[in-house]
Amino acid sequence: MRLFWRSFSGNRGAVVGLAIMLLLIVLAVFADLIAPHSPIEQFRTSFLTPPIWDAGGNGAFPLGTDDVGRDMLSRLIHGARLSLIIGGSVASLALVLGTTLGLTAAFAGGLVDIVIMRAMDVLLVFPSLLLAIVIVAILGPGLFNAMLAVVVVTLPGYTRLSRASALSELARDYVTATRCAGASAVRLMFLVVLPNCVAPLIVQVSLGFATAILDAAALGFLGLGAQPPTPEWGTMLAGALQYYQRAWWVLAFPGLSILLTVLAFNLLGDGLRDALDPKLRR
Amino acid sequence: MIRFLLRRVSLIIPTFIGVTLLSFMLIHLVPGDPIEVRVGERGIEPARLEQLRHEFGYDQPLWKQFIDYEGQLAHGDLGKSVVTRESVWREFITLFPATLELAACAILFAMLVGLPLGVIAAVRRGSAFDYGLMGVSVTGASMPIFWWGLMVILVFSVFLGWTPVSGRISDAFFIEPWSGFMTLDCWFSDDRGACRSAWSHLVLPTIVLGTVPLATIARMTRSSMLEVLGEDYIRTARAKGLKRNRVVVVHALRNALIPIVTVLGLSVSALLGGAILTETIFSWPGIGHWLIESIQRRDYPVLQGGTLLVAILVILVNLGVDLTYGFLNPRIRR
């Protein structure tokens, strides 16, 4: 653990990623206290107010307001909460389903293995965003369906990874020993083999968080994800389409928030990979 | 080589069937059937509904519909749009050149910029340039391109007025579509103004779609070059007294390119995903724009057929990359 931390903290990018992530968590947890206004309250006297440092800015709305007079800063803060919920639930659901499928494929072998892995190959053939779009188009637009679609398109990554690492563990002596001692298949799968496959899965979850947030925002942007007035960053961008040429702030800030969040999780994932991979460790 | 080829080709058959099964299943998850959904709340005479159902085959049992669907696909029939009544294949093939033109330009842009940057970063490992480039490239790889596209439009089209906002060519020009590639068609039409207009429409979408591949290429080139630069034959080449540039470009880069090109070929799926967003932002009349429109019009046959064609395209490109790689590297032919 100490070795891990020394390697991780030596990676400047990873530390920046971790710091942004912690900041987001604080914002998300205390959104109601930190945000100056409600994310859906409309101030009818201040439509499209520019940010505080621009001419015409108003101290009550530090990052300006949108076309119906909602405070941008408050919406962004509440959007952070939403993004973390999206990333967290999508990544954990995909992790649980994918790991179960991957371990089952590795343990059962034969026909089960072939069917599961071929199904994953089929999912991988479709561009992930296109598949997510088609799924949402069929199930109907909405945040829940969008999250479900992103789970489906990110599933193959987890399945392949857990299958591959389980297969390499299965050949080890300790697994044979446990099996000889009479451990059941389920016990062997989840209590013996799985803990030894955790390192690559942690990395995958961190990167999966980034993908989930990015894809859900893209769906929101296309009008297929969260619906207005939900303060989801992608949906906010879609709402800004008609007047962004007059009001740059309604466009710039939500996108910047998406970029920073995705960047943080990608940096974190890279840092974790370097710290957890013994091959790269000096 | 023949055996390798046959094995690789036979491997894609189950994927092929799986892809058609998935695209068939997806469309039947639609509550009701595509005709009902399209009619929506407007309502329709029951007799007319039956007639339409019969015409599109939705009154058959599910397994029979699937067999019929596979049979149709085998004959190259992907169904027809319920909006335009045009065959899906015909619509796809008219719009595909626009997407191909954009994607090709984006990849070209990403390689022309990404390769040299990656090489310089590898040669000057640990320098400020190296750190800076890696920071920029991880940012580029995290970019929400739907936002990036709008920001680029805001800066270059709205504030600076350098480039047009959307479309493939200005309305002032009419170019007889011959190849479907606007830049080529303009070139052959000898209309200088049209040429300039077509290229200026292409610049921003190319940059936006090329951003993520550019970041990936720069990163991969750097790590691939670092690996190759540590090899014995590079030391030998240096020891022979060759100039540094020659060692880097001829000896190192040529070997470092193999993994880069492979990964590039396999990322065509991600590129097509990016094209959907880019085309939507720039109103670029290609496949992505067409698919998003089909959702808005509830044109399910187009959505189904178009998605299937995109998947088949990805399978074929991946197969091509695989075969080329096997051809270049005999070790993996086993």
Side-chain angles (χ1 to χ4, degrees):
Chain A
M1 193 66 205
R2 196 187 295 159
L3 205 63
F4 162 77
W5 179 247
R6 195 187 305 156
S7 166
F8 183 83
S9 56
N11 184 335
R12 227 175 299 163
V15 175
V16 172
L18 186 66
I20 299 179
M21 196 188 84
L22 291 176
L23 178 72
L24 280 171
I25 292 177
V26 171
L27 284 180
V29 173
F30 301 106
D32 295 319
L33 298 176
I34 300 173
H37 306 282
S38 148
I40 49 172
E41 190 182 352
Q42 302 179 3
F43 295 91
R44 291 183 189 283
T45 47
S46 2
F47 295 145
L48 290 178
T49 311
I52 192 164
W53 59 86
D54 247 30
N58 180 341
F61 311 109
L63 294 183
T65 58
D66 65 6
D67 58 325
V68 289
R70 291 173 298 203
D71 178 40
M72 287 298 289
L73 180 64
S74 307
R75 288 178 71 68
L76 290 176
I77 292 174
H78 282 269
R81 174 186 280 182
L82 210 56
S83 286
L84 288 187
I85 293 176
I86 294 171
S89 27
V90 167
S92 44
L93 189 58
L95 174 72
V96 171
L97 286 178
T99 319
T100 312
L101 282 173
L103 288 180
T104 312
F107 271 78
L111 193 63
V112 178
D113 186 19
I114 292 176
V115 170
I116 292 179
M117 295 327 285
R118 283 291 129 187
M120 293 303 132
D121 286 350
V122 169
L123 289 182
L124 277 176
V125 163
F126 293 91
S128 67
L129 184 65
L130 176 59
L131 186 57
I133 288 173
V134 173
I135 294 175
V136 180
I138 284 163
L139 296 179
L143 184 56
F144 182 76
N145 288 342
M147 283 161 64
L148 220 56
V150 181
V151 170
V152 174
V153 301
T154 49
L155 204 53
Y158 294 93
T159 309
R160 286 186 147 189
L161 197 64
S162 54
R163 174 179 174 271
S165 28
L167 278 181
S168 70
E169 290 298 319
L170 276 177
R172 301 274 175 89
D173 288 340
Y174 76 93
V175 177
T176 319
T178 323
R179 194 175 271 162
C180 289
S184 71
V186 176
R187 188 182 174 83
L188 208 59
M189 262 163 77
F190 290 101
L191 292 180
V192 180
V193 172
L194 184 59
N196 290 295
C197 308
V198 158
L201 286 172
I202 291 178
V203 176
Q204 180 76 12
V205 166
S206 180
L207 300 175
F209 232 93
T211 320
I213 292 173
L214 198 56
D215 282 2
L219 288 172
F221 175 73
L222 292 170
L224 296 167
Q227 300 297 307
T230 316
E232 199 271 323
W233 294 334
T235 312
M236 287 168 74
L237 284 178
L241 276 180
Q242 280 133 29
Y243 47 86
Y244 74 92
Q245 306 196 349
R246 291 184 281 126
W248 60 268
W249 57 93
V250 291
L251 181 68
F253 297 128
L256 218 50
S257 310
I258 302 175
L259 174 60
L260 273 178
T261 313
V262 173
L263 182 62
F265 283 101
N266 277 337
L267 286 172
L268 195 66
D270 283 352
L272 287 172
R273 174 167 34 217
D274 294 349
L276 290 170
D277 191 344
K279 269 175 277 173
L280 290 170
R281 195 180 283 163
R282 269 156 297 172
Chain B
M1 190 64 209
I2 298 285
R3 269 189 60 195
F4 167 75
L5 201 125
L6 283 177
R7 208 181 56 223
R8 278 298 148 94
V9 172
S10 70
L11 266 178
I12 66 168
I13 292 173
T15 317
F16 234 93
I17 296 175
V19 166
T20 57
L21 181 64
L22 183 66
S23 79
F24 174 79
M25 267 168 25
L26 280 174
I27 237 62
H28 284 86
L29 288 175
V30 178
D33 63 39
I35 305 282
E36 253 177 78
V37 171
R38 216 190 113 56
V39 171
E41 286 163 6
R42 269 182 297 149
I44 187 173
E45 277 173 53
R48 177 77 183 127
L49 181 66
E50 281 312 310
Q51 188 197 340
L52 277 173
R53 269 195 188 144
H54 187 73
E55 190 184 330
F56 286 92
Y58 293 122
D59 54 349
Q60 304 282 337
L62 216 52
W63 61 269
K64 182 141 194 322
Q65 284 189 43
F66 182 61
I67 305 267
D68 287 348
Y69 179 59
E70 292 286 310
Q72 280 174 10
L73 290 182
H75 289 96
D77 175 9
L78 288 149
K80 55 185 179 180
S81 156
V82 292
V83 177
T84 61
R85 299 289 177 119
E86 183 87 53
S87 100
V88 173
W89 169 253
R90 187 165 290 279
E91 289 198 349
F92 180 88
I93 211 67
T94 1
L95 296 171
F96 184 61
T99 301
L100 188 62
E101 186 176 40
L102 175 58
C105 287
I107 278 295
L108 207 65
F109 161 73
M111 285 185 73
L112 287 180
V113 181
L115 278 177
L117 289 181
V119 170
I120 297 173
V123 173
R124 298 190 186 160
R125 183 184 193 178
S127 66
F129 180 84
D130 185 19
Y131 280 117
L133 182 71
M134 286 306 105
V136 172
S137 106
V138 70
T139 312
S142 312
M143 191 61 85
I145 63 168
F146 45 98
W147 173 70
W148 180 229
L150 293 170
M151 288 303 281
V152 169
I153 291 179
L154 195 61
V155 173
F156 291 101
S157 304
V158 180
F159 287 159
L160 297 173
W162 288 355
T163 51
V165 176
S166 65
R168 288 180 86 185
I169 192 163
S170 154
D171 291 339
F173 301 99
F174 177 75
I175 296 296
E176 192 68 46
W178 174 73
S179 65
F181 299 101
M182 192 60 83
T183 47
L184 279 185
D185 288 347
C186 290
W187 179 279
F188 287 119
S189 74
D190 270 339
D191 185 339
R192 279 284 187 78
C195 256
R196 207 172 302 132
S197 171
W199 280 108
S200 67
H201 278 80
L202 196 54
V203 174
L204 291 190
T206 297
I207 293 175
V208 169
L209 185 56
T211 300
V212 177
L214 168 62
T216 322
I217 289 174
R219 258 178 97 144
M220 279 200 44
T221 307
R222 176 181 176 271
S223 61
S224 182
M225 277 296 280
L226 281 178
E227 211 166 285
V228 171
L229 284 174
E231 298 278 347
D232 287 343
Y233 57 80
I234 297 297
R235 200 170 343 136
T236 312
R238 282 225 175 108
K240 279 199 303 190
L242 290 179
K243 288 221 176 70
R244 192 173 123 157
N245 286 350
R246 193 175 159 78
V247 175
V248 169
V249 175
V250 180
H251 293 245
L253 184 59
R254 268 225 300 235
N255 286 296
L257 270 178
I258 297 172
I260 300 169
V261 170
T262 313
V263 173
L264 207 61
L266 297 177
S267 67
V268 67
S269 169
L271 193 70
L272 287 170
I276 295 178
L277 292 169
T278 313
E279 288 180 3
T280 307
I281 296 165
F282 289 96
S283 307
W284 188 263
I287 300 302
H289 193 247
W290 176 57
L291 287 173
I292 294 294
E293 271 199 335
S294 80
I295 293 175
Q296 284 153 2
R297 297 177 184 166
R298 300 178 179 238
D299 194 345
Y300 288 104
V302 163
L303 186 60
Q304 182 184 29
T307 310
L308 184 65
L309 283 171
V310 170
I312 290 174
L313 188 71
V314 174
I315 295 181
L316 293 180
V317 172
N318 286 356
L319 179 71
V321 173
D322 242 21
L323 294 180
T324 322
Y325 196 52
F327 183 71
L328 291 176
N329 185 354
R331 270 175 296 180
I332 69 155
R333 267 185 237 160
R334 275 179 297 141

